[in-house]
Amino acid sequence: MQPDPDQRRAAVRLDQLQKELETESPGGLLAQLFGNKKRDPQGVYMWGGVGRGKSMLMDLFVDTLKISEKRRVHFHEFMLEVDALIREERQAEVTGPIGRVAKRLANNIRCLAFDEMVVTNTADAAIMARLFTALMEDEGVTVVTTSNRPPHDLYKDGLNRSLFLPFIDLVERELDVVPLNGPTDYRLDRLGDLASWHTPLGDASTEQVREAFFRLTDYAPEDAAHVPSGELELGGGRKLFVPKCLKGVAVFSFKRLCGENRGAADYLAIAREFHSIILVGIPLMGPDNRNEAIRFTKLIDALYEQGVKLFATAEAAPENLYRKGDGAFEFERTVSRLKEMQSDDYMARGHGVPG
């Protein structure tokens, strides 16, 4: 632990919210006079780059909050639960299913804490304003959340984003927006001396990138079977399945990203969405793998330009991946970038910060 002014400001704000929640007496005289809308403490929206301490502060807040009516959940898991509840209500032919879902979610909950609010698909974007208006304004739930982005950048460039704008207005009206976007990435300390490029392919290399995933996401290794998956919208109605996806960290196979027909726009969408990529199964390439090598080059260009941290398992060191074939000479630029991406200076770059 070390002094950090942004973290201190966030801690002071969370401490104030704790006291407000703990002082409240639900159903008391003031609640009877004014109702939930007038009594609920203002929630908090903490945003900042990876490794800034948002999850740590969230954990401290929830763990020390002395009320029983609280819940902490990863945002991705919460929205999957919402989708399932909406389907239940619609099957029961209930009118106003989102209001009913909000009421069910708010049962015995006064404070709902989300880690890593991020919106990647149109379905979630379309319902979030109505859902969270019902949760906060109708049901009186106080929301605390973390995100890598400020509210106005959520679902940026997403399809039908106009449907999502009321949610941004709601967040900026109902939550105190607290930035933690300083230059220090404390999560890098957790990586310690863990390398980012691992050869050859095999169990030992796989174990190393697996360890990197758990250090970057704070996810419990013993619960590895339940790491969530996700979907990323690529535009034109296309979606990319993300096998493992948590807190801005995504796991892909080389085959999925470079063995299928993809272009630079797809790789840019990936690089903008995730601050860290774990890429497994990079093979040796030759004349028969010309297309895969070209796609790999485009992928690395996109990751490099966006400052994405890359952890990889590969058959060989970068300079030995593609020695013969069309574009082998040009591939040397990719080799240079791959080596730079392993450096301390590159790893300390913020996501989306040009080199």
Side-chain angles (χ1 to χ4, degrees):
M1 300 289 284
Q2 62 190 56
D4 185 299
D6 284 349
Q7 287 186 7
R8 180 177 179 82
R9 281 191 289 271
V12 168
R13 180 62 187 90
L14 292 172
D15 182 65
Q16 175 191 344
L17 177 56
Q18 262 195 4
K19 292 172 181 173
E20 291 171 349
L21 287 166
E22 292 168 359
T23 302
E24 261 194 358
S25 177
L29 179 60
L30 288 178
Q32 294 173 26
L33 286 173
F34 297 110
N36 281 333
K37 290 185 181 180
K38 299 296 184 184
R39 287 229 351 110
D40 300 320
Q42 189 94 347
V44 176
Y45 181 106
M46 293 184 290
W47 74 273
V50 61
R52 289 293 301 137
K54 303 182 299 295
S55 296
M56 176 194 71
L57 287 164
M58 175 74 81
D59 287 339
L60 286 170
F61 169 76
V62 175
D63 290 347
T64 58
L65 178 60
K66 296 180 179 65
I67 65 172
S68 59
E69 308 97 330
K70 60 184 178 181
R71 182 186 178 193
R72 185 196 190 285
V73 61
H74 189 270
F75 190 73
H76 177 79
E77 296 173 7
F78 178 77
M79 292 309 297
L80 290 176
E81 181 181 351
V82 167
D83 291 342
L85 290 174
I86 289 176
R87 285 195 297 271
E88 283 184 23
E89 296 292 344
R90 284 175 174 162
Q91 287 171 0
E93 299 183 353
V94 173
T95 57
I98 291 178
R100 291 277 304 168
V101 167
K103 190 173 291 293
R104 290 173 65 177
L105 290 167
N107 185 38
N108 293 321
I109 296 294
R110 290 169 54 208
C111 182
L112 190 53
F114 297 112
D115 198 18
E116 206 65 29
M117 179 177 282
V118 62
V119 187
T120 59
N121 64 72
T122 306
D124 287 350
I127 67 171
M128 282 177 65
R130 288 176 291 160
L131 174 68
F132 280 88
T133 296
L135 279 172
M136 292 190 283
E137 297 186 350
D138 299 337
E139 301 302 327
V141 174
T142 296
V143 169
V144 180
T145 187
T146 70
S147 178
N148 286 339
R149 297 180 171 90
H152 58 77
D153 279 352
L154 287 171
Y155 198 51
K156 191 174 183 179
D157 302 321
L159 294 174
N160 299 316
R161 191 171 188 257
S162 60
L163 298 173
F164 186 72
L165 296 179
F167 176 76
I168 295 176
D169 293 339
L170 177 72
V171 167
E172 293 180 337
R173 182 175 70 248
E174 297 292 335
L175 305 182
D176 284 344
V177 178
V178 179
L180 283 92
N181 204 35
T184 305
D185 182 348
Y186 295 105
R187 196 166 294 173
L188 285 178
D189 293 338
R190 289 187 220 168
L191 292 173
D193 58 356
L194 193 65
S196 57
W197 190 272
H198 301 277
T199 63
L201 297 177
D203 292 343
S205 292
T206 299
E207 182 58 32
Q208 290 294 296
V209 294
R210 184 177 182 272
E211 177 67 19
F213 179 86
F214 292 124
R215 292 193 196 182
L216 287 167
T217 62
D218 300 316
Y219 201 83
E222 57 270 21
D223 199 28
H226 299 104
V227 175
S229 58
E231 280 188 339
L232 176 64
E233 295 197 10
L234 298 175
R238 297 179 306 119
K239 296 181 179 180
L240 174 66
F241 176 71
V242 187
K244 302 293 181 184
C245 173
L246 186 66
K247 291 190 178 183
V249 182
V251 180
F252 293 103
S253 68
F254 175 90
K255 184 177 180 180
R256 179 173 293 276
L257 290 191
C258 302
E260 300 174 1
N261 187 20
R262 302 196 183 281
D266 291 357
Y267 298 134
L268 181 58
I270 293 167
R272 285 176 171 170
E273 186 62 33
F274 302 107
H275 60 73
S276 299
I277 296 290
I278 295 175
L279 185 65
V280 298
I282 303 172
L284 291 173
M285 292 171 277
D288 293 339
N289 310 107
R290 173 181 177 276
N291 291 333
E292 289 88 339
I294 291 173
R295 294 182 195 123
F296 182 67
T297 294
K298 292 179 179 179
L299 170 64
I300 298 306
D301 283 346
L303 300 184
Y304 178 87
E305 294 296 337
Q306 293 295 316
V308 176
K309 296 175 177 63
L310 175 66
F311 299 85
T313 66
E315 194 61 65
E319 61 269 23
N320 294 321
L321 285 178
Y322 188 58
R323 302 292 294 272
K324 296 179 181 179
D326 291 347
F329 178 78
E330 291 79 4
F331 192 82
E332 291 181 8
R333 178 169 170 269
T334 299
V335 171
S336 176
R337 288 194 159 183
L338 287 170
K339 289 185 174 181
E340 183 182 343
M341 291 168 79
Q342 299 176 52
S343 70
D344 291 342
D345 287 345
Y346 179 88
M347 294 294 280
R349 268 175 60 184
H351 183 216
V353 178

